[in-house]
PDB file of all heavy atoms in Angstrom:
ATOM      1  N   GLY A   2       0.099  10.355 -29.233  1.00 87.00           N
ATOM      2  CA  GLY A   2       0.847  10.079 -30.455  1.00 87.00           C
ATOM      3  C   GLY A   2       1.805  11.193 -30.838  1.00 87.00           C
ATOM      4  O   GLY A   2       2.646  11.024 -31.714  1.00 87.00           O
ATOM      5  N   LYS A  12      14.387  13.380 -29.966  1.00 96.00           N
ATOM      6  CA  LYS A  12      13.140  12.649 -29.782  1.00 96.00           C
ATOM      7  C   LYS A  12      13.338  11.513 -28.778  1.00 96.00           C
ATOM      8  O   LYS A  12      14.251  10.710 -28.896  1.00 96.00           O
ATOM      9  CB  LYS A  12      12.620  12.090 -31.100  1.00 96.00           C
ATOM     10  CG  LYS A  12      11.271  11.426 -30.950  1.00 96.00           C
ATOM     11  CD  LYS A  12      10.686  10.963 -32.257  1.00 96.00           C
ATOM     12  CE  LYS A  12       9.339  10.296 -32.000  1.00 96.00           C
ATOM     13  NZ  LYS A  12       8.733   9.794 -33.220  1.00 96.00           N
ATOM     14  N   ILE A  19      -1.218  10.608 -20.006  1.00 96.00           N
ATOM     15  CA  ILE A  19      -0.855  11.575 -18.980  1.00 96.00           C
ATOM     16  C   ILE A  19      -1.258  11.007 -17.621  1.00 96.00           C
ATOM     17  O   ILE A  19      -2.351  10.462 -17.463  1.00 96.00           O
ATOM     18  CB  ILE A  19      -1.583  12.931 -19.202  1.00 96.00           C
ATOM     19  CG1 ILE A  19      -1.264  13.509 -20.574  1.00 96.00           C
ATOM     20  CG2 ILE A  19      -1.274  13.906 -18.073  1.00 96.00           C
ATOM     21  CD1 ILE A  19       0.163  13.921 -20.784  1.00 96.00           C
ATOM     22  N   GLY A  39       6.892  -4.258 -31.720  1.00 74.00           N
ATOM     23  CA  GLY A  39       6.984  -5.589 -31.155  1.00 74.00           C
ATOM     24  C   GLY A  39       7.826  -5.654 -29.893  1.00 74.00           C
ATOM     25  O   GLY A  39       7.791  -6.625 -29.157  1.00 74.00           O
ATOM     26  N   LEU A  43       6.731   1.544 -22.267  1.00 93.00           N
ATOM     27  CA  LEU A  43       6.395   2.902 -21.847  1.00 93.00           C
ATOM     28  C   LEU A  43       7.373   3.365 -20.797  1.00 93.00           C
ATOM     29  O   LEU A  43       7.713   2.630 -19.880  1.00 93.00           O
ATOM     30  CB  LEU A  43       4.972   2.941 -21.272  1.00 93.00           C
ATOM     31  CG  LEU A  43       3.861   2.558 -22.231  1.00 93.00           C
ATOM     32  CD1 LEU A  43       2.536   2.499 -21.494  1.00 93.00           C
ATOM     33  CD2 LEU A  43       3.787   3.517 -23.391  1.00 93.00           C
ATOM     34  N   LYS A  56       4.032  20.318 -33.262  1.00 93.00           N
ATOM     35  CA  LYS A  56       4.463  18.992 -33.699  1.00 93.00           C
ATOM     36  C   LYS A  56       5.109  18.147 -32.611  1.00 93.00           C
ATOM     37  O   LYS A  56       5.510  17.022 -32.865  1.00 93.00           O
ATOM     38  CB  LYS A  56       5.434  19.123 -34.870  1.00 93.00           C
ATOM     39  CG  LYS A  56       4.778  19.719 -36.102  1.00 93.00           C
ATOM     40  CD  LYS A  56       5.706  19.716 -37.262  1.00 93.00           C
ATOM     41  CE  LYS A  56       5.004  20.317 -38.476  1.00 93.00           C
ATOM     42  NZ  LYS A  56       5.838  20.261 -39.659  1.00 93.00           N
ATOM     43  N   LEU A  58       5.878  17.658 -27.941  1.00 97.00           N
ATOM     44  CA  LEU A  58       5.838  18.062 -26.549  1.00 97.00           C
ATOM     45  C   LEU A  58       7.280  18.073 -26.076  1.00 97.00           C
ATOM     46  O   LEU A  58       7.972  17.063 -26.147  1.00 97.00           O
ATOM     47  CB  LEU A  58       5.023  17.053 -25.730  1.00 97.00           C
ATOM     48  CG  LEU A  58       5.058  17.219 -24.208  1.00 97.00           C
ATOM     49  CD1 LEU A  58       4.372  18.518 -23.793  1.00 97.00           C
ATOM     50  CD2 LEU A  58       4.414  16.031 -23.533  1.00 97.00           C
ATOM     51  N   PRO A  71      11.986   4.190 -14.850  1.00 89.00           N
ATOM     52  CA  PRO A  71      11.245   2.932 -14.733  1.00 89.00           C
ATOM     53  C   PRO A  71      10.347   2.734 -15.954  1.00 89.00           C
ATOM     54  O   PRO A  71       9.828   3.694 -16.520  1.00 89.00           O
ATOM     55  CB  PRO A  71      10.411   3.131 -13.465  1.00 89.00           C
ATOM     56  CG  PRO A  71      11.195   4.119 -12.667  1.00 89.00           C
ATOM     57  CD  PRO A  71      11.799   5.047 -13.688  1.00 89.00           C
ATOM     58  N   SER A  81       1.470   0.010  -7.502  1.00 84.00           N
ATOM     59  CA  SER A  81       1.655   0.915  -6.364  1.00 84.00           C
ATOM     60  C   SER A  81       3.111   0.901  -5.884  1.00 84.00           C
ATOM     61  O   SER A  81       3.578   1.894  -5.343  1.00 84.00           O
ATOM     62  CB  SER A  81       0.709   0.539  -5.224  1.00 84.00           C
ATOM     63  OG  SER A  81       0.950  -0.790  -4.797  1.00 84.00           O
ATOM     64  N   ARG A 103      -3.233   6.122  -3.598  1.00 82.00           N
ATOM     65  CA  ARG A 103      -2.182   6.328  -4.590  1.00 82.00           C
ATOM     66  C   ARG A 103      -2.127   7.783  -5.007  1.00 82.00           C
ATOM     67  O   ARG A 103      -3.095   8.516  -4.962  1.00 82.00           O
ATOM     68  CB  ARG A 103      -2.447   5.433  -5.797  1.00 82.00           C
ATOM     69  CG  ARG A 103      -2.360   3.989  -5.329  1.00 82.00           C
ATOM     70  CD  ARG A 103      -2.192   2.992  -6.352  1.00 82.00           C
ATOM     71  NE  ARG A 103      -1.261   3.313  -7.392  1.00 82.00           N
ATOM     72  CZ  ARG A 103      -1.141   2.575  -8.456  1.00 82.00           C
ATOM     73  NH1 ARG A 103      -1.879   1.519  -8.622  1.00 82.00           N
ATOM     74  NH2 ARG A 103      -0.268   2.874  -9.385  1.00 82.00           N
ATOM     75  N   LEU A 105      -0.922   8.861  -8.194  1.00 90.00           N
ATOM     76  CA  LEU A 105      -1.109   9.104  -9.628  1.00 90.00           C
ATOM     77  C   LEU A 105      -2.349   8.403 -10.181  1.00 90.00           C
ATOM     78  O   LEU A 105      -2.647   7.270  -9.822  1.00 90.00           O
ATOM     79  CB  LEU A 105       0.123   8.623 -10.410  1.00 90.00           C
ATOM     80  CG  LEU A 105       1.420   9.344 -10.120  1.00 90.00           C
ATOM     81  CD1 LEU A 105       2.567   8.660 -10.870  1.00 90.00           C
ATOM     82  CD2 LEU A 105       1.340  10.810 -10.506  1.00 90.00           C
ATOM     83  N   ARG A 108      -4.886   9.381 -17.425  1.00 81.00           N
ATOM     84  CA  ARG A 108      -5.888   9.923 -18.362  1.00 81.00           C
ATOM     85  C   ARG A 108      -5.512   9.566 -19.763  1.00 81.00           C
ATOM     86  O   ARG A 108      -4.409   9.459 -20.128  1.00 81.00           O
ATOM     87  CB  ARG A 108      -5.944  11.432 -18.253  1.00 81.00           C
ATOM     88  CG  ARG A 108      -6.518  11.868 -16.957  1.00 81.00           C
ATOM     89  CD  ARG A 108      -7.315  13.147 -17.119  1.00 81.00           C
ATOM     90  NE  ARG A 108      -8.068  13.353 -15.926  1.00 81.00           N
ATOM     91  CZ  ARG A 108      -7.849  14.318 -15.057  1.00 81.00           C
ATOM     92  NH1 ARG A 108      -6.918  15.183 -15.264  1.00 81.00           N
ATOM     93  NH2 ARG A 108      -8.575  14.437 -13.985  1.00 81.00           N
TER      94      ARG A 108
END
Side-chain angles (χ1 to χ4, degrees):
K12 185 175 179 181
I19 302 294
L43 298 174
K56 295 185 180 184
L58 171 67
S81 59
R103 297 197 42 189
L105 296 174
R108 291 214 168 111

